[in-house]
């Protein structure tokens, strides 16, 4: 009887009519995944190639886009395989690993946005000290902490969940991927895991959001007293970050609410669509916002578009020509 509750595989029960629309789902999500990889990679490569974009703000943007690629890769391959499978199942250890990546990379997004907010605060409110504060060492510390802190805290949560849920009473997860709902599969609800989860949410989500609100409030106060040009420059760099923060925070709030109200939210097409928003909207929204709203990135995208239109020799020749002209200080246009 001891092994009665031991289970190797968990059924992902959040899919709606997957057997009927599996190929449609697969084509749509595979296309979205390619768009996410390509759009984020293009801007990421532009930031890496052009020295004019080797500034703290653009480095943090590149890290955020790279994080979006990691986040999507943690979800999409398994999701695509599920669409083509007869049974949508996942092993419990692999589900825990996906849960870990999902929240670890999501927490990294909040911390990277906090680093961007701090960079903008120093740039606008303390311009004379910017070069001494935002050094290469500072940037590296921010980047390491953005990925290391969530990973360290989520590791503890995974260990607690694994130890508490060695015996599972529920074998169906009403989701299309593994998130915090996995903690409800155990026979006993762990108070320790619940409290620890709240602490983690405060550390990697609530505290960064409050910090971002504080820094942008200070920026707003400073720019309100400044000239029209200063206000315009601040808006050009701050608005994209705020748009990304608002969209991502909204999706995270839905994720928390849906997990807390799981019993009151039966499986439906609406729930499936909202779950897909978490893995579609944000990874696609980032490159669009930064590509259109950030002046220097938008400029380089236009240059790249002109080269693609003029060149028939493929992307490697385009990359070579841009690199050579940049090194020789030849105007690209």
């Amino acid at each position: 009887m001891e092994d009665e509750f031991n289970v190797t595989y968990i059924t992902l029960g959040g899919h709606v009519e997957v057997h009927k629309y599996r190929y449609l789902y697969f084509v749509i999500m595979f296309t979205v995944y390619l768009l996410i990889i390509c759009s984020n990679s293009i801007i990421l490569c532009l930031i890496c190639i052009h020295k004019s974009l080797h500034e703290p703000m653009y480095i943090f943007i590149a890290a955020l886009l790279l994080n979006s690629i990691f986040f999507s890769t943690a979800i999409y391959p398994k999701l695509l395989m599920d669409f083509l499978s007869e049974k949508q199942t996942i092993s419990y250890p692999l589900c825990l690993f996906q849960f870990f990546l999902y929240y670890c990379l999501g927490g990294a997004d909040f911390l990277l946005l906090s680093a961007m907010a701090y960079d903008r605060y120093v740039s606008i409110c303390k311009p004379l000290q910017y070069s001494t504060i935002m050094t290469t060492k500072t940037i590296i510390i921010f980047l390491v902490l953005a990925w290391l802190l969530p990973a360290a805290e989520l590791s503890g949560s995974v260990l607690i969940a694994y130890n508490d849920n060695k015996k599972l009473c529920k074998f169906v997860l009403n989701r299309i991927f593994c998130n915090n709902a996995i903690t409800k599969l155990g026979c006993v609800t762990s108070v320790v895991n619940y409290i620890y989860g709240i602490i983690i949410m405060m550390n990697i989500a609530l505290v960064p959001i409050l910090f971002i609100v504080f820094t942008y409030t200070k920026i707003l106060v400073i720019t309100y007293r400044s000239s029209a040009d200063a206000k315009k420059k601040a808006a050009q760099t701050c608005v994209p970050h705020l748009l990304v923060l608002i969209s991502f925070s909204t999706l995270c709030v839905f994720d928390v609410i849906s997990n807390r109200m799981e019993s009151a939210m039966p499986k439906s097409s609406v729930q499936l669509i909202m779950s897909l928003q978490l893995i579609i909207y944000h990874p696609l929204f980032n490159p669009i916002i930064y590509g259109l709203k950030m002046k220097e990135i938008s400029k380089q995208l236009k240059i790249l578009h002109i080269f693609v239109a003029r060149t028939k020799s493929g992307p490697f020749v385009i990359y070579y020509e841009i690199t050579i002209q940049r090194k020789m200080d030849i105007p690209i246009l």
Side-chain angles (χ1 to χ4, degrees), residues 300-314 317-323 325 331-333:
Q300 297 300 335
L301 283 174
K302 290 177 181 177
I303 293 173
L304 179 62
H305 174 72
I306 293 173
F307 266 99
V308 171
R310 290 179 179 176
T311 307
K312 304 298 182 181
S313 304
V317 173
I318 296 173
Y319 172 85
Y320 175 78
E321 290 187 6
I322 293 176
T323 305
Q325 292 191 35
I332 295 180
L333 291 178

Side-chain angles (χ1 to χ4, degrees), residues 253-269:
V253 168
F254 166 78
D255 182 61
V256 173
I257 292 175
S258 64
N259 287 331
R260 298 302 176 192
M261 301 178 61
E262 184 176 8
S263 59
M265 296 177 63
K267 184 175 72 173
S268 65
S269 299

Side-chain angles (χ1 to χ4, degrees), residues 67-240:
N67 198 65
S68 294
I69 295 174
F70 290 156
F71 179 83
S72 301
T73 304
I75 302 295
Y76 277 85
K78 178 65 175 73
L79 185 63
L80 293 172
M81 287 190 292
D82 284 341
F83 288 145
L84 300 180
S85 302
E86 290 297 325
K87 294 182 180 180
Q88 291 72 45
T89 59
I90 185 172
S91 66
Y92 183 56
L94 185 58
C95 194
L96 281 174
F97 182 62
Q98 190 179 60
F99 154 79
F100 169 77
L101 291 177
Y102 177 73
Y103 288 105
C104 178
L105 295 172
D109 264 4
F110 279 116
L111 294 177
L112 287 171
L113 288 170
S114 298
M116 291 181 191
Y118 181 71
D119 173 73
R120 292 298 85 204
Y121 167 75
V122 176
S123 175
I124 295 172
C125 301
K126 300 180 179 181
L128 298 179
Q129 304 175 39
Y130 183 79
S131 59
T132 58
I133 294 177
M134 297 305 296
T135 61
T136 303
K137 182 179 178 180
T138 303
I139 296 170
I140 293 174
I141 291 174
F142 282 158
L143 292 177
V144 171
L145 290 178
W147 278 299
L148 188 60
L149 285 180
E153 295 189 356
L154 264 298
S155 296
S157 180
V158 170
L159 289 175
I160 293 173
Y162 181 75
N163 290 328
D164 289 344
N165 296 341
K166 284 184 177 179
K167 292 184 178 181
L168 302 178
C169 290
K170 298 177 183 178
F171 309 140
V172 178
L173 191 68
N174 193 25
R175 297 291 184 272
I176 59 175
F177 53 84
C178 297
N179 60 5
N180 197 41
I182 193 176
T183 58
K184 298 183 179 181
L185 298 178
C187 297
V188 179
T189 302
S190 173
V191 178
V192 175
N193 197 24
Y194 180 79
I195 295 174
Y196 189 67
I198 293 176
I199 294 173
I200 292 175
M201 183 176 66
M202 291 179 63
N203 287 342
I204 65 176
L206 184 59
V207 172
I209 289 175
L210 293 177
F211 175 77
I212 293 169
V213 171
F214 171 76
T215 53
Y216 280 111
T217 301
K218 296 285 288 184
I219 291 172
L220 183 63
V221 172
I222 294 295
T223 54
Y224 180 77
R225 303 169 185 171
S226 305
S227 62
D229 291 338
K231 292 179 182 178
K232 184 179 179 181
K233 182 180 179 180
Q236 287 177 344
T237 58
C238 294
V239 169

